Amino acid sequence: MTWIGFALMECFEVEARMTTDTSTWQVSAKDRQERLERWRRMLVGEPAVASGRPQRRRNPETNWATGVWLHAAARAEMSLELTEWEQAFLAPLADVLGEEEVQALGRAYREQRDAGAVALVPQAVTGRGFDEPFTSEEVAAHMRAVGELADGLSNVGRVNRTRLLAGEPLETPEFTEAAAACGYGLTVFDGAEFGAAEVGQESAGADGGAQAAGGVAADEVAPGVLTPFRAKLEWDGFRCHHAAGDQGGGRDEIYWTAGCNTVNYKHTTRTRETQEVSSGHEYSIGGDHSTGSMAFFDANFTGNLSAMIITCWEADQSTADWYTALGQALAQAVDKLAFVDFVLNFVPGADLLGYMIFAMDLLATFWEYLRNDDDLILTRGFALNRSDVKALYYTEGRRMTLGFNARSTGMGHFSLHVKYTGDMPPGPPPEGSFSFIATGWTGLLGSPFTRDLDAACLVPGTTTDVYLFKGSEYVRYDCNGEQIRGGLRSISSGWPALRPPFTSNLDAACLVPATTTDVYLFKGDTYVRYNCSGESIRSSGKISDGWPGLRNTPFTRDLDAACLVPGTTTDVYLFKGSEYVRYDCSSERIRHRQAITAGWPRLTDTEFAHNLQAGCVVPNSRHDVYLFKGERYVRYAM
C-alpha cells in the first residue's frame, strides 16, 4: 500500500467503541437515499449539506481521481465489462458502501453527465464515452498533468527552504485561506539545495559521536548510492488558537494522524485524543494511540525524497467501525494510483505533486459526501528532500510549526509543533544559514545579545575582541575565550563622549580603515568617528557630507550594517536592503554597488541576502566576515 493509502486509512481510523459488525457499515434505504441526494448536489457544484459554513471550494480540473472512479462506477452500473484495474479501483469502496450504493452513485453521475450538469470532475472525464475505460497509463499521464498545474493552485505552496531554516512561518494568508476552503493544502520546498551527501561520509549521531549516518558503516554503502542516515520526526505538541467547537454537544477533543513514506519505509500513526481543548493554550500530544510512540517518521533515509500527510481531527461521536472501514477502503483505492518512484525523485516533480493532489482530492470529496460536520479540521501534505531535512536539523530547536487554520470554515485554528530528533544529515551544513549566535558565541548565553543585534565591529588594536551593540547596551566579546569582558554596559558609560542619538539603537558600526584606535558609528543620516583610546569624537556630521561619494544613493541614511573590507587599509562595506557598496574611504568613491547576492553569491536564497542587522571582520582574519541577522550569524569567506 502506498504512503497516502496508509495515511488515508489512519485518517479515518478511530479507536473502536463497539464490537465490529460489518452489517453496520451498510445504511438503511432512507439513509442511502439521503446520501445519494447529497452526492447529486455535489456533482452540480452545490454544498453537500446545507449549513452556515462556507461551501468547500472544489477544482474540477484536479479532481481526476474522483472522476475516474465515477466513470468506472457508471460502467459497472451499465453492466459493461470492467478492466482489471477498474475493478481494483472500485472494489475497496464497494466492500464498504455496498455494490448497490456504488452503482447508484454511478447512475447518478451518468444521468447528470448526460444532462450536462456535472461540475465536480474534469470535462475530459465527463466527455468520455462509457464504452471506453480509463487505463492506469492514462491515469498516470493525467496525474503528471495535474502536477504541472500545481504552481497555479492557491492551496499548493512552494516555500523557500530558507524559511524552514530560519524557523519562519511556512504559510501565507492566501495559502491558509485556500487550504481551509479546499480542505487540504500541499507544501513543497524550493530554493538553494544544501548539497547531497558524499557516499560513505560520516555524520554525528544523536550522542555527538562520529558514526556512519543511519547506523550504516561507510564502507558498506554501495558506489553511487546516497549516504543513508536516520531521519526521525516526532510530535512536539500543539497550540489551540481558536477551538473547533464540537457540533454534537460540547466535546472538543483533538487528535492527529500522519502517514509517511520514503524508500523502503511506510508508516502511519494516530495519536491519542487531547481532551477539553480551549482557545489560547498549548497542549502536549500523547503519542500513538496504541504504543505511545512520539515518532511519526523514523526511517533509514536512503533515497532522495520523502512525503507525508498530516491531518488534524476533532473527535466525533460517530460509529467507529464505519470510519475505520471507509478509511481502509479509500486507502486501498488510492493505492491503485501509485506511479511515483521515491528513489529517482530528488525534487518533487509533477508525478509526485499530481499523485498527492489526486489522492487528497479523492479524500476531500468522499469525506464531504460521508462525514459529519464536525470531524475533519484540515489535511496538509508535504514533500521533503534531503536538503529540507538538513534545513530542519539546523533550525533552532530542530523544530517547525505547521498551521492548521480552518477558522474561515468554522473548524478552528491550530498550530502543530514537529521536532527533528534524528541523526545529523550527511554533508556540509547549509551555506550561510546554519549558525545560531547562542551556539556559536556561547559566552553570550543568558544575555540579550543572542539575537537582533544593532551593530558590531572589531575592537581597535586587538586580534581577538569584537564590540556588539543592542539597544542602549554593548558588550566587548573575546572570540578566543568565548566570554564577555567586563559584563554588559550601557553605551553612554562605556563611550562617554557620545550623546544621543548615538547612545542607543545604532544602525551600524565598523573599524576605521588603517587605524588601531577609531570606530565609525552610524545612526539615521548621521555618523561619528570615535577615538576609543582618547574617548573622544574626532568628527561627526551627515553621512552625505562626510562620505561624499555616497551622495544621491540610498546609503546616506538608515544603514543595515557596515564592516571593514578584509585585507585592505582603505575600504568599507556598507549594506542596506538587498544591496551593498564597497566604499574607498581614501578617495571618497564607491568602487562598486550591487545586489548582496551578486557580490556574496553563497548568500543567495538565504535570509542573509537582504536586511542584515550587523557585520564585522572576523578577528585576526584577512579573508572572513561575520554577518548577523535575527538569532543567526554566518562566517563568510571572501
Side-chain angles (χ1 to χ4, degrees):
M1 187 178 293
T2 65
W3 75 277
I4 289 184
F6 274 106
L8 295 180
M9 181 175 68
E10 282 293 333
C11 283
F12 285 93
E13 182 181 323
V14 294
E15 190 168 357
R17 299 185 181 94
M18 61 170 58
T19 302
T20 300
D21 177 1
T22 56
S23 65
T24 65
W25 301 348
Q26 314 297 326
V27 296
S28 67
K30 177 182 177 182
D31 289 339
R32 185 179 298 114
Q33 185 60 36
E34 289 179 356
R35 286 209 303 238
L36 184 59
E37 292 305 313
R38 181 184 297 186
W39 189 261
R40 291 184 186 277
R41 289 193 292 269
M42 290 173 59
L43 283 171
V44 299
E46 296 177 357
V49 178
S51 71
R53 296 176 181 171
Q55 179 180 348
R56 172 147 293 172
R57 186 189 305 170
R58 307 185 189 94
N59 184 349
E61 294 309 308
T62 65
N63 204 5
W64 269 90
T66 302
V68 172
W69 190 92
L70 287 171
H71 187 84
R75 283 171 44 79
E77 185 268 336
M78 298 169 67
S79 300
L80 297 175
E81 184 178 357
L82 300 184
T83 67
E84 184 176 343
W85 186 84
E86 284 181 304
Q87 294 178 45
F89 194 30
L90 284 181
L93 283 166
D95 289 342
V96 176
L97 302 176
E99 290 190 9
E100 182 179 348
E101 185 166 354
V102 168
Q103 292 195 14
L105 295 179
R107 185 182 309 112
Y109 167 71
R110 176 174 58 81
E111 292 172 351
Q112 293 191 205
R113 191 210 72 155
D114 292 344
V118 174
L120 181 65
V121 299
Q123 292 183 357
V125 174
T126 60
R128 192 180 187 105
F130 290 119
D131 59 340
E132 187 177 1
F134 282 98
T135 67
S136 59
E137 292 78 13
E138 287 179 294
V139 174
H142 288 304
M143 188 179 293
R144 285 188 288 274
V146 167
E148 291 169 356
L149 298 175
D151 285 339
L153 302 176
S154 52
N155 64 324
V156 177
R158 288 190 178 271
V159 180
N160 192 301
R161 62 178 51 85
T162 58
R163 295 181 63 85
L164 173 63
L165 186 66
E168 297 177 0
L170 305 181
E171 303 86 17
T172 64
E174 295 75 16
F175 173 85
T176 296
E177 188 277 331
C182 297
Y184 72 91
L186 173 59
T187 299
V188 294
F189 297 95
D190 59 16
E193 297 289 347
F194 297 145
E198 295 293 332
V199 173
Q201 180 169 347
E202 290 186 344
S203 68
D207 60 357
Q211 64 179 50
V216 179
D219 57 6
E220 295 177 1
V221 179
V225 177
L226 289 169
T227 306
F229 66 98
R230 185 184 182 187
K232 186 176 182 181
L233 296 172
E234 295 187 356
W235 309 111
D236 199 34
F238 69 94
R239 181 172 183 81
C240 174
H241 301 279
H242 184 81
D246 191 289
Q247 302 297 307
R251 291 182 59 182
D252 202 5
E253 302 169 346
I254 299 299
Y255 67 98
W256 306 82
T257 59
C260 306
N261 177 279
T262 187
V263 177
N264 299 323
Y265 174 83
K266 297 173 184 176
H267 178 68
T268 60
T269 182
R270 172 171 55 83
T271 72
R272 296 166 179 166
E273 296 174 3
T274 303
Q275 301 187 9
E276 299 182 2
V277 171
S278 59
S279 303
H281 294 87
E282 293 277 348
Y283 295 92
S284 60
I285 294 177
D288 183 85
H289 71 287
S290 61
T291 68
S293 172
M294 298 300 292
F296 62 88
F297 182 90
D298 188 0
N300 196 33
F301 202 175
T302 60
N304 295 326
L305 195 65
S306 63
M308 65 187 68
I309 181 171
I310 301 175
T311 302
C312 179
W313 300 85
E314 181 190 6
D316 64 20
Q317 299 173 34
S318 305
T319 303
D321 303 325
W322 166 255
Y323 294 117
T324 299
L326 180 60
Q328 292 171 338
L330 283 170
Q332 294 165 16
V334 170
D335 192 45
K336 305 307 174 185
L337 301 174
F339 306 105
V340 179
D341 190 333
F342 284 89
V343 178
L344 300 179
N345 286 275
F346 185 74
V347 177
D351 53 351
L352 176 65
L353 298 180
Y355 174 48
M356 296 176 78
I357 293 169
F358 260 49
M360 287 192 283
D361 263 335
L362 184 69
L363 166 64
T365 301
F366 272 89
W367 186 247
E368 185 175 5
Y369 164 53
L370 295 162
R371 63 177 281 244
N372 289 337
D373 288 340
D374 63 333
D375 295 324
L376 175 65
I377 292 176
L378 195 66
T379 295
R380 293 196 59 183
F382 299 87
L384 300 176
N385 70 14
R386 296 167 78 94
S387 286
D388 305 326
V389 176
K390 183 175 289 187
L392 182 54
Y393 178 85
Y394 287 103
T395 298
E396 185 178 24
R398 298 173 187 168
R399 192 180 194 229
M400 67 176 173
T401 297
L402 310 174
F404 288 75
N405 186 351
R407 189 172 180 180
S408 63
T409 60
M411 289 307 301
H413 178 193
F414 302 86
S415 291
L416 172 66
H417 309 308
V418 170
K419 188 170 185 178
Y420 182 84
T421 58
D423 291 342
M424 176 189 291
E431 178 68 46
S433 301
F434 62 90
S435 299
F436 291 94
I437 299 172
T439 56
W441 302 60
T442 54
L444 296 175
L445 283 172
S447 80
F449 289 83
T450 57
R451 64 177 303 130
D452 299 326
L453 300 178
D454 290 333
C457 71
L458 282 176
V459 175
T462 77
T463 59
T464 60
D465 293 6
V466 169
Y467 285 132
L468 303 175
F469 301 86
K470 183 175 181 180
S472 61
E473 294 182 311
Y474 80 101
V475 294
R476 177 172 174 165
Y477 191 84
D478 176 1
C479 295
N480 279 2
E482 297 295 349
Q483 61 180 332
I484 295 174
R485 295 186 188 271
L488 279 64
R489 300 185 64 187
S490 67
I491 296 173
S492 59
S493 64
W495 303 64
L498 291 177
R499 297 292 180 268
F502 287 91
T503 54
S504 65
N505 303 320
L506 297 174
D507 288 337
C510 72
L511 195 65
V512 176
T515 74
T516 58
T517 59
D518 292 8
V519 169
Y520 284 128
L521 304 174
F522 301 88
K523 177 74 179 282
D525 61 355
T526 58
Y527 80 100
V528 299
R529 176 173 173 169
Y530 193 92
N531 176 245
C532 296
S533 178
E535 298 295 351
S536 63
I537 294 177
R538 291 191 186 273
S539 62
S540 64
K542 297 287 188 181
I543 297 173
S544 58
D545 294 333
W547 302 62
L550 295 176
R551 292 172 186 164
N552 300 316
T553 76
F555 293 87
T556 56
R557 66 175 304 120
D558 303 327
L559 299 176
D560 291 335
C563 74
L564 197 67
V565 176
T568 75
T569 58
T570 59
D571 293 6
V572 169
Y573 289 129
L574 303 174
F575 300 85
K576 184 173 182 179
S578 60
E579 293 186 311
Y580 80 102
V581 296
R582 177 170 174 167
Y583 191 86
D584 180 350
C585 296
S586 63
S587 62
E588 299 294 351
R589 66 186 179 91
I590 294 175
R591 291 189 185 272
H592 58 252
R593 172 186 171 186
Q594 56 187 346
I596 294 173
T597 53
W600 306 61
R602 293 190 301 280
L603 298 181
T604 300
D605 289 327
T606 76
E607 65 265 42
F608 293 95
H610 56 86
N611 301 332
L612 297 173
Q613 291 179 323
C616 71
V617 175
V618 175
N620 205 30
S621 172
R622 292 181 56 83
H623 306 286
D624 294 2
V625 170
Y626 286 132
L627 300 175
F628 301 87
K629 184 174 181 182
E631 60 198 0
R632 300 173 182 275
Y633 78 99
V634 57
R635 178 170 175 162
Y636 194 98
M638 303 301 297

